[in-house]
Amino acid sequence: MRRSASLQSLLFYGLSGPIVALNVWLLSVLFGYFQHPITILSFAAILAFLLNYPVKLFEQARISRTQAVIIVLLFTLTLFGILGVTLVPMVIDQTIQLLNKIPNWLTSSQANLVQLEAFAQQRRLPIDLRVLSNQINASIQNFVQHLASGAVGVAGTLLSGLLNFVLVVVLAFYMLLYGDRVWYGLINLLPSKFRIPFAKSLHLNFQNFFLSQILLGLFMVVVLTPIFLILKVPFALLFAILIGISELIPFIGAALGIGTVTLLVLLQNWWLAVQVALAAIFMQQIKDNLLAPRLLGNFIGLNPIWIFVAILMGYEIAGLLGTLVAVPIAGTIKGTFDAIKGSKQGDFMSTVTIPHDPENSSL
């Protein structure tokens, strides 16, 4: 009997690895075929999750759900319109200027390398920077060619982005109105013991995770923009927004954003790059140690190693979209299995410690 049980356990663990790898491969293939509709649906679902908070607040004020959805949607479109008229043109202008200046910055960095090599040769130091210099030359040429080829499709890219934005808003509107029917229809396809834990865990992890990450990203943008302006950092607003957007990717996003901005400033002025890095890291520590615990709570039972694995797998399957949803998906899986192991079907653990609203069941 024991031998049979050990054999079953060995077969289970031995086959689980190939099965998981096969499922990951199938998901990546399916995403490759249906990348555009999946991306649109995913961003629409995330927007619907976020807008469901103010919709519920209006419903508590005895306003019908349809009227609440219309009010929230109009307010959201107004906010996006104000940002599109004021902030977006500034960001686009700074982006174009940055792309035009990067080749010059690379050229100046190459000159600095030549001076460093000459300094080393005078003191008979064994430093040969010719390979690195040649790589910088090749990078400059490739970058200029890429800009020349990409400039032709700028208008088409903006038009496509506007169309995608309209599709996301329209889908989010219908998800807020009729998402319950589709949601409960999909939930009913699951085994009975999975339905309630999965629904609650998915709702908490996705809605509250993205809301918290967006608030943390806005904090970084708001505090870093004046700091960069005081330091006279070129393209201060663009660099602050880049770091803020990178906050949407948990754990590694902040490091990637700060590292990218520091590297770009380093091409122009190494001392300014040091100040930028110190200021950004200092504000990041305030965010991580004071604000993030209040918004996100503690990641319960989800080892940081598995979080990194989830992010890497998400990127491999769906690129940037996969990195954004990897952690809440991992938290949903963890919360669902915690609920199944618990004594009651309705009890579950979420990776984000927040109060639960039993009436908030939309989407």
Side-chain angles (χ1 to χ4, degrees):
M1 193 70 178
R2 291 182 179 178
R3 184 175 298 178
S4 176
S6 61
L7 180 60
Q8 291 179 357
S9 178
L10 180 63
L11 288 175
F12 173 78
Y13 289 108
L15 294 176
S16 60
I19 291 175
V20 170
L22 178 62
N23 288 330
V24 171
W25 177 77
L26 288 175
L27 287 174
S28 62
V29 172
L30 288 175
F31 185 81
Y33 278 113
F34 304 103
Q35 179 177 0
H36 186 259
I38 291 176
T39 303
I40 295 296
L41 287 172
S42 299
F43 280 108
I46 293 172
L47 180 60
F49 271 126
L50 297 175
L51 295 182
N52 195 46
Y53 262 130
V55 169
K56 284 295 181 182
L57 293 177
F58 280 108
E59 284 186 305
Q60 292 176 2
R62 297 183 180 181
I63 298 177
S64 66
R65 183 168 183 84
T66 302
Q67 293 176 343
V69 170
I70 293 174
I71 293 173
V72 171
L73 185 64
L74 290 176
F75 177 79
T76 304
L77 290 176
T78 302
L79 179 61
F80 281 134
I82 294 174
L83 293 177
V85 174
T86 58
L87 185 63
V88 173
M90 296 173 58
V91 174
I92 293 177
D93 182 63
Q94 290 194 9
T95 303
I96 295 175
Q97 294 182 26
L98 175 63
L99 293 178
N100 291 331
K101 287 189 176 182
I102 284 180
N104 295 331
W105 289 358
L106 290 173
T107 303
S108 63
S109 65
Q110 183 186 14
N112 293 333
L113 288 177
V114 173
Q115 294 178 1
L116 179 61
E117 185 175 6
F119 177 81
Q121 289 178 353
Q122 291 177 358
R123 285 156 180 77
R124 298 180 180 180
L125 298 176
I127 298 178
D128 187 3
L129 300 177
R130 285 176 294 179
V131 176
L132 183 59
S133 177
N134 293 333
Q135 290 179 352
I136 292 178
N137 273 330
S139 299
I140 294 174
Q141 295 176 0
N142 292 332
F143 187 79
V144 172
Q145 292 176 0
H146 180 71
L147 285 179
S149 60
V152 179
V154 170
T157 302
L158 292 176
L159 181 61
S160 176
L162 181 61
L163 178 61
N164 291 334
F165 172 77
V166 173
L167 289 175
V168 167
V169 172
V170 171
L171 282 174
F173 173 74
Y174 283 105
M175 285 181 179
L176 287 171
L177 286 179
Y178 309 111
D180 285 344
R181 304 175 187 177
V182 178
W183 174 246
Y184 291 125
L186 294 175
I187 289 296
N188 288 331
L189 297 176
L190 298 175
S192 57
K193 67 178 181 179
F194 284 94
R195 292 174 187 171
I196 296 178
F198 178 79
K200 293 181 178 179
S201 183
L202 182 69
H203 178 269
L204 287 183
N205 279 281
F206 268 82
Q207 177 169 298
N208 298 282
F209 175 83
F210 280 108
L211 181 62
S212 301
Q213 292 297 114
I214 290 175
L215 291 177
L216 293 175
L218 287 176
F219 167 78
M220 293 297 288
V221 173
V222 170
V223 298
L224 286 180
T225 299
I227 293 175
F228 287 171
L229 290 174
I230 293 174
L231 295 176
K232 297 182 179 180
V233 178
F235 314 110
L237 177 62
L238 177 62
F239 287 160
I241 291 177
L242 178 60
I243 294 176
I245 292 177
S246 67
E247 291 290 336
L248 295 177
I249 303 176
F251 292 98
I252 63 174
L256 292 176
I258 295 174
T260 302
V261 170
T262 302
L263 181 61
L264 290 174
V265 179
L266 183 63
L267 295 175
Q268 186 187 23
N269 188 325
W270 70 270
W271 174 238
L272 183 60
V274 171
Q275 297 179 66
V276 167
L278 292 176
I281 292 173
F282 177 75
M283 299 311 303
Q284 181 198 358
Q285 292 301 312
I286 294 179
K287 172 189 70 69
D288 290 341
N289 295 298
L290 297 179
L291 297 180
R294 296 178 179 273
L295 292 175
L296 286 173
N298 297 319
F299 285 86
I300 302 174
L302 203 57
N303 193 293
I305 295 177
W306 292 115
I307 294 177
F308 281 110
V309 171
I311 292 174
L312 292 175
M313 292 179 63
Y315 179 78
E316 185 66 26
I317 294 173
L320 179 60
L321 177 62
T323 61
L324 295 177
V325 301
V327 172
I329 288 177
T332 300
I333 296 173
K334 179 65 170 59
T336 303
F337 281 100
D338 282 344
I340 294 173
K341 293 179 181 179
S343 58
K344 295 181 180 180
Q345 182 179 354
D347 294 337
F348 67 97
M349 299 293 290
S350 169
T351 56
V352 182
T353 304
I354 54 170
H356 170 56
D357 180 9
E359 297 181 356
N360 198 3
S361 59
S362 176
L363 293 176

